Amino acid sequence: MTPCALRRWPALILTAGLLGLTAPWAAVGPASAGTPTGGSTPTGTTGTTGTSGTSTGTSPSTGVQPPVDYELPFACGQQWTGDTRAGHSPSPLALDFTRPRDYGRLVLAAAAGTVVWVADLGSTSYGRYVIIDHGDGYSTLYAHLKSVWVVQGEQIDQGSILGQVGDTGNATGPHLHFEERFDGVDQPAWFHGAAYTPGVALASRNCPDTPVSADRNSDGTDTVGVFRSKARGGAFRFAVTDGTPEVVGFGGGRDVPVTGDWDGDGTTDVGVRRPATRQFLLRGSDGTTTTITLGRRADRPVTGDWDGDGRTDVGVYAPRTGTFRLRDGAGNVTAVQLGGVGDIPVTGDWNADGVTDVGVFDPATATFLLRVGYADGSVSLTTVPFGTSTDLPVTGDWDGDGTTDVGAWDPATATFSLRLTPPTSRSTSAVTTVQFGRPR
Ligand SMILES: [Ca+2]
Ligand SMILES: [Ca+2]
Ligand SMILES: [Ca+2]
Ligand SMILES: [Ca+2]
């Protein structure tokens, strides 16, 4: 593995709420689509802008890079052009993105955050649109969508699919109406750390790493890795002991990565779920790919050995209802209720009985809720505070004792914090940190 450091963390940590709803609800409602009134007039690069009439915080200075690492809201490598005009509602700082054959293209989150608004204004104004709160008053708005694939309250990562480019609302043709906002007021757009000049064609660098874990050498211990979105296809990169990552190209850039031992040979294999077609594509050790269709587009994929036969099965988690649907090797689907909107599903064998259990990570409280189901039908729940609100959860058996452990990956530093099952003490747990992947 790459550089490791062992340190001790108290088991009870962190109730921070970086992703909390800091913006007033009034600032994100349909009313904000109207004509701004009163207040100060920032001097944007495109002329007179909207105002800060509803602002409760300090408005950022024009020309200063926002603290949120916005990327273009489109698939990695895709080229789009954002235009605006005088009189563009609600502000000339809003951008209308187009490209050839743009209708139905995927719209991605420009940055991680909370879906705070999903609405459909019919044939008026924004039509179908979504607002994501990035914390500290910063938000982004995506309008005229053909379809919306997220639900209000959901926590989403940078690059998550929000929906499709459409022409709903007051639109004369397909395009994505996009706004970067502070306290509900449009700001000059920045992408990949640079101020954007309207009219310039830009290739999306919304190509985030996503944390995964796998046992690639059948030694019973999981190692960490990332799935990297690329302009053409995707690639798994696993940390291995000699320091050179093992790279396995598989799937597409907008696929959601999954890992599991599909063929039961003891080595973790790679796979993806393709939201647009609702298909799992699972690659076995022999290179063949098995396809399983399950769930809805908006569902999140999970994997685990639900029937305990040694082969990893697939499942989905519906954020809207907090329902896991777990498909066993025979194709039977079992529903399990846990958590709800805002939670991120995780899976693992928390009690080392050979059957994978489910859990959720609540970013608001940085707490894992782990559910163990027993053969007699009884259930136990355990809460494990770990990580931070901006971390992405990851699970694996880091110490090879048969019990799946929890972990977290910090996108800003590309650092895994892996919680090792405390061997003696209940008050502390050993934590290994591993820097792996590309920081955002
Ligand atoms: Ca395998
Ligand atoms: Ca199985
Ligand atoms: Ca179990
Ligand atoms: Ca373990």
Side-chain angles (χ1 to χ4, degrees):
M1 252 184 218
T2 44
C4 283
L6 202 64
R7 67 175 196 253
R8 294 205 165 257
W9 277 6
L12 293 170
I13 48 169
L14 295 167
T15 53
L18 268 182
L19 290 175
L21 310 185
T22 53
W25 284 89
V28 298
S32 60
T35 306
T37 56
S40 62
T41 305
T43 51
T45 52
T46 56
T48 303
T49 72
T51 70
S52 55
T54 59
S55 176
T56 55
T58 304
S59 192
S61 304
T62 298
V64 173
Q65 184 175 357
V68 182
D69 61 337
Y70 296 120
E71 295 290 351
L72 212 63
F74 301 105
C76 182
Q78 273 184 15
Q79 187 166 295
W80 290 76
T81 304
D83 286 302
T84 190
R85 58 189 181 277
H88 196 184
S89 179
S91 158
L93 294 175
L95 296 169
D96 285 344
F97 278 103
T98 56
R99 60 164 283 152
R101 301 179 305 281
D102 45 18
Y103 187 75
R105 295 274 182 174
L106 298 178
V107 175
L108 312 186
T114 308
V115 179
V116 290
W117 195 262
V118 175
D120 185 352
L121 301 178
S123 60
T124 67
S125 185
Y126 289 138
R128 287 198 187 95
Y129 75 107
V130 171
I131 297 175
I132 301 175
D133 184 346
H134 306 291
D136 296 330
Y138 291 88
S139 63
T140 46
L141 181 149
Y142 313 75
H144 307 313
L145 301 174
K146 173 176 185 270
S147 65
V148 172
W149 298 12
V150 292
V151 296
Q152 207 160 290
E154 194 174 348
Q155 299 287 331
I156 49 148
D157 192 17
Q158 185 172 55
S160 295
I161 301 172
L162 303 180
Q164 294 172 281
V165 172
D167 57 3
T168 60
N170 183 17
T172 53
H175 68 276
L176 177 72
H177 175 104
F178 176 79
E179 302 173 24
E180 291 181 13
R181 299 169 144 199
F182 179 75
D183 275 356
V185 179
D186 284 7
Q187 305 295 319
W190 285 65
F191 298 108
H192 203 76
Y196 179 67
T197 304
V200 173
L202 203 60
S204 172
R205 296 176 75 174
N206 200 340
C207 319
D209 279 3
T210 305
V212 296
S213 73
D215 177 5
R216 293 291 292 169
N217 60 356
S218 311
D219 67 352
T221 304
D222 285 326
T223 185
V224 297
V226 294
F227 178 73
R228 180 162 298 172
S229 303
K230 304 202 300 182
R232 296 185 195 285
F236 288 82
R237 302 170 69 84
F238 296 106
V240 290
T241 45
D242 70 1
T244 305
E246 179 196 7
V247 180
V248 182
F250 190 71
R254 283 327 316 148
D255 290 344
V256 181
V258 292
T259 56
D261 187 3
W262 323 124
D263 50 17
D265 67 354
T267 301
T268 307
D269 310 299
V270 300
V272 294
R273 184 171 186 264
R274 191 157 289 168
T277 60
R278 307 178 295 113
Q279 283 176 320
F280 285 88
L281 307 176
L282 311 175
R283 199 187 79 159
S285 301
D286 61 0
T288 60
T289 298
T290 303
T291 302
I292 298 172
T293 304
L294 183 68
R296 300 182 173 192
R297 289 186 302 197
D299 289 348
R300 299 186 180 208
V302 294
T303 61
D305 187 3
W306 322 125
D307 51 16
D309 68 352
R311 295 166 195 251
T312 306
D313 312 299
V314 299
V316 291
Y317 182 72
R320 187 193 298 269
T321 58
T323 306
F324 286 88
R325 295 178 66 226
L326 311 176
R327 180 190 184 278
D328 67 19
N332 302 310
V333 176
T334 303
V336 176
Q337 199 82 24
L338 189 70
V341 176
D343 289 334
I344 299 171
V346 295
T347 59
D349 186 1
W350 319 128
N351 64 340
D353 68 351
V355 176
T356 306
D357 311 293
V358 299
V360 292
F361 176 71
D362 178 3
T365 58
T367 302
F368 287 84
L369 176 62
L370 309 179
R371 176 193 188 276
V372 174
Y374 297 93
D376 66 359
S378 63
V379 168
S380 72
L381 297 174
T382 306
T383 56
V384 181
F386 192 76
T388 76
S389 294
T390 50
D391 285 348
L392 296 173
V394 60
T395 59
D397 188 1
W398 322 126
D399 51 13
D401 67 354
T403 302
T404 307
D405 313 298
V406 301
W409 187 71
D410 176 4
T413 61
T415 302
F416 286 86
S417 297
L418 309 177
R419 179 181 185 271
L420 308 179
T421 312
T424 53
S425 170
R426 291 185 180 185
S427 59
T428 60
S429 57
V431 175
T432 299
T433 60
V434 182
Q435 206 275 328
F436 190 77
R438 189 166 55 194
R440 307 257 180 101

